[in-house]
Amino acid sequence: MRVEVARHAGICYGVERALKLAEEAAESGAPVRTLGPLIHNPQAVQALRDKGVEVAASLEDASEGTLVIRSHGVSPAIIAAAGEKGLDVVDATCPFVRKAHEAAEVLVAEGYTLVIVGEPDHPEVEGIVAHAGGAALVVEDVADLPATLGTRRVGVVVQTTQSAERLAEIVEALLPRCTDLRVINTICSATAKRQEAAHEL
């Protein structure tokens, strides 16, 4: 059997950064927990445990020490609640995800109806919705778009791991439904490179 590895593969920058921040936090000797697993890899999660980094399923599971926010990001309310509990918060939100948060905030502040291209139940998308104040329409594909949007001003951001093709399809479908369409492409560059490399295979 022949195994080919794509030109771009492995842990992305955002997750690698989160792992490093968690390991650095553990060096203090204080209790360290991540809010959910930092990576979908049991071996890597166990390696963190071996270094003193545990996983908290929810904020209630972290009562002291340091709380590491994973690269998906969370709502501002969770960050605030962690601070109120006296936890030392290490925000390892991926810079690309943070860009999506900021873009959503700007579009809502400027009066656009926000459309997020992504998976409704994904933690990253939930965080983007929260940063938009809860006012957003999340769509995975064109079929999720309503016939009418009730507005002529639409702003679009996208989950960082979505494909450019999916974004383009939804933007094309939105064009005839509004007169003022602003699109901020928040797809992670590493994701784009991985998708391109996969297509090459």
Side-chain angles (χ1 to χ4, degrees), residues 118 120 137-147 149 166 170 177:
L137 171 65
V138 181
V139 297
E140 280 193 85
D141 52 45
V142 173
D144 294 332
L145 287 171
L149 296 170
R166 175 66 54 81
I170 291 174
R177 307 181 196 205

Side-chain angles (χ1 to χ4, degrees), residues 33-45:
R33 293 176 178 81
T34 64
L35 189 56
L38 292 186
I39 185 172
H40 302 300
N41 181 313
Q43 291 80 16
V45 172

